[in-house]
Amino acid sequence: MSRGLKIVFVLSCCFLWEAQAFSQVRVRFDATFGQEEIRIGFREQTYKVKLDESGIGKITIPDSLVPGYAVLYGPRNAYSFYLVPGQQQEITRLNGQEIKFAGAAKAINIYLNSPFLNNRDPGYEKGEEEFLKAWALMPGRLQSHLDSLPLPADFKKSERKRLYYVACHSLLDYPLRHARLLRLKSYSPGERYYRKVSELLQEDPSAHEFWEYRQFFRNGIQLLGERKKTETGKPLDKLKCELDYICNHIKDEELAGYLVDESMSGYIRYFGSEGMEAFLPLYREKVKDEKQKAAFFRSYEQYTRLEKGRKAPHFSLLDKDGNRKNLSDWLGNYVYIDVWATWCGPCCRELPAFHKLKEEFKDKPICFVSISIDADEAAWRAKIEKDSLDGIQLRVNEEDTFKKDYKISWIPRFLLIDREGKVLDANMTRPSDTKTIEKLTTLLSDR
């Protein structure tokens, strides 16, 4: 079956007995993606639905909302578009071909997804000084392109402000993109680059509606905090640096609350809740939205269940031969778990290192378990067959709670369980990381 996808939005108005109008967003993907959840981010709210077996879902959005920028988070990709509540819109993409738009805001959506706008490169291969000179021309170049297009005047007015922060994101991309292009293991810019980032972090409450504005502050502060992590090697020091910056520099309460939530929520997703307790009073002080607070503390409480020394959540999954495997089956052994999927490039690149790790410790009391979160069972089985994946191969079904219990919001993800079935590390290092073999060697030699 083709792994292409088709997305069709049909917005139709319906009226409740209170005469309140809603838009029903009809979304259609290729049936391959049936049963997967899709989301639309719009006006700082999230609207989501689980696709049926044929790849169709419907999302209800109030017509009272003002038209604006939205993001469709599909099973594999994210797409920017301009949502007009109450009007018909269609978005189509087949077999990886160019995305197409019809209906309301067609010209705007073609523009938002144009190669010119999405393939920005101010010269990432250049040295720092030359890059900064080239980047300084980018805001004007984006503005000139916008002015040349026959788009509605009211849209152009807001888009000019958004484009400035689009350009700012390109500035933040420089260290990573430069390193990749020059095939460097890492790259740290000089003081001039960081001064430029700091200069651009100027608050503008009128731009808060733009994701690009909020995320420029989020990523810019994160970049400055990364220098602290580089000095100490500790992610918690990086978080403290970010929060200190927010407290000392950000005056707008709405932006400060957003940034504190983003920083602390992002930290626990990647590093868990250990060490976070000291920052909770700050969260309560800065974040004003009660629903947002409640969601954060629910998530925080769930992550505390994965702290080192806590009993690892039980799971019972089927292997490739249809046999049920339980976590308790491996009591008395350490358990190193690889959570992956066939469609995840970084996951697949770790598979050879994972196999090498199994061979390295094959006579030791440690089990290596692969757990796929593929919704497509056939693709999972085909990958096992094609790459001759051996060992314990499990897959998470729709009814399994593994992803929820272990807070699997990103992959690849690696877990380490001790011989008593307790969590050792809910965010273990990757097989390809030299620290992994060092840690396992130490554990197994100390037993």
Side-chain angles (χ1 to χ4, degrees), residues 282-336:
L282 176 65
Y283 188 95
R284 292 188 178 97
E285 174 192 346
K286 293 294 185 180
V287 179
K288 308 299 183 183
D289 188 297
E290 293 301 324
K291 289 185 178 180
Q292 194 174 36
K293 278 185 181 179
F296 171 81
F297 282 102
R298 279 196 304 272
S299 181
Y300 173 78
E301 192 278 329
Q302 291 169 343
Y303 274 99
T304 61
R305 301 172 193 171
L306 296 175
E307 289 182 355
K308 183 177 180 179
R310 298 290 291 266
K311 182 176 175 59
H314 172 73
F315 63 78
S316 180
L317 304 172
L318 295 177
D319 68 10
K320 57 183 172 49
D321 299 316
N323 300 312
R324 187 161 293 280
K325 300 294 184 180
N326 305 296
L327 176 59
S328 57
D329 295 342
W330 303 301
L331 282 174
N333 296 281
Y334 291 99
V335 184
Y336 183 88

Side-chain angles (χ1 to χ4, degrees), residues 146-375:
L146 174 65
D147 291 340
S148 71
L149 300 175
L151 298 174
D154 57 342
F155 170 76
K156 282 188 174 183
K157 183 178 179 180
S158 64
E159 178 65 0
R160 287 188 183 95
K161 182 173 290 189
R162 190 189 75 91
L163 280 178
Y164 173 74
Y165 297 104
V166 169
C168 289
H169 276 276
S170 294
L171 176 69
L172 298 184
D173 289 341
Y174 175 63
L176 181 60
R177 296 286 293 274
H178 182 76
R180 285 180 177 174
L181 285 171
L182 273 63
R183 298 183 179 181
L184 304 174
K185 186 175 181 180
S186 63
Y187 171 73
S188 297
E191 284 299 322
R192 185 179 177 187
Y193 172 82
Y194 287 106
R195 282 200 305 271
K196 186 63 178 178
V197 172
S198 297
E199 289 171 9
L200 294 175
L201 290 171
Q202 300 295 321
E203 296 174 58
D204 179 3
S206 69
H208 190 82
E209 67 170 298
F210 301 118
W211 177 88
E212 288 79 6
Y213 166 76
R214 302 191 305 273
Q215 282 300 113
F216 171 61
F217 271 84
R218 170 73 184 103
N219 295 342
I221 294 170
Q222 193 173 42
L223 183 70
L224 298 177
E226 192 69 32
R227 302 179 78 189
K228 187 68 176 180
K229 178 188 172 186
T230 301
E231 294 171 9
T232 67
K234 298 179 179 178
L236 202 62
D237 288 339
K238 173 176 173 288
L239 174 65
K240 185 179 185 302
C241 182
E242 292 175 20
L243 296 176
D244 285 346
Y245 185 97
I246 295 167
C247 291
N248 295 329
H249 295 86
I250 305 301
K251 307 304 180 186
D252 179 38
E253 289 189 357
E254 187 176 20
L255 179 60
Y258 173 86
L259 293 172
V260 167
D261 178 71
E262 284 283 303
S263 292
M264 292 182 63
S265 296
Y267 182 90
I268 64 173
R269 278 196 299 272
Y270 283 92
F271 302 106
S273 59
E274 292 185 61
M276 288 286 289
E277 189 173 355
F279 302 114
L280 297 182
L282 176 65
Y283 188 95
R284 292 188 178 97
E285 174 192 346
K286 293 294 185 180
V287 179
K288 308 299 183 183
D289 188 297
E290 293 301 324
K291 289 185 178 180
Q292 194 174 36
K293 278 185 181 179
F296 171 81
F297 282 102
R298 279 196 304 272
S299 181
Y300 173 78
E301 192 278 329
Q302 291 169 343
Y303 274 99
T304 61
R305 301 172 193 171
L306 296 175
E307 289 182 355
K308 183 177 180 179
R310 298 290 291 266
K311 182 176 175 59
H314 172 73
F315 63 78
S316 180
L317 304 172
L318 295 177
D319 68 10
K320 57 183 172 49
D321 299 316
N323 300 312
R324 187 161 293 280
K325 300 294 184 180
N326 305 296
L327 176 59
S328 57
D329 295 342
W330 303 301
L331 282 174
N333 296 281
Y334 291 99
V335 184
Y336 183 88
I337 300 173
D338 172 12
V339 186
W340 71 294
T342 59
W343 44 262
C344 169
C347 298
C348 294
R349 287 194 288 273
E350 288 293 328
L351 293 177
F354 186 71
H355 178 76
K356 185 176 180 181
L357 210 58
K358 285 191 291 186
E359 290 298 306
E360 179 76 21
F361 295 99
K362 63 182 179 181
D363 296 323
K364 301 293 184 179
I366 181 170
C367 296
F368 291 88
V369 180
S370 294
I371 300 181
S372 166
I373 62 169
D374 276 287

Side-chain angles (χ1 to χ4, degrees), residues 395-420:
R395 188 178 74 89
V396 177
N397 289 315
E398 181 186 356
E399 64 273 12
D400 295 320
T401 62
F402 176 82
K403 287 198 294 184
K404 178 182 177 182
D405 294 339
Y406 283 89
K407 304 295 290 182
I408 306 298
S409 58
W410 49 272
I411 53 173
R413 173 89 174 274
F414 302 92
L415 311 164
L416 184 61
I417 312 298
D418 74 11
R419 302 177 73 181
E420 297 178 352

Side-chain angles (χ1 to χ4, degrees), residues 3 5 29 32-33 36 73-79 343 374-376:
R3 293 197 61 84
L5 55 89
F29 284 73
T32 305
F33 302 110
E36 296 198 29
Y73 298 97
R76 301 291 180 270
N77 297 289
Y79 306 91
W343 44 262
D374 276 287
D376 187 345

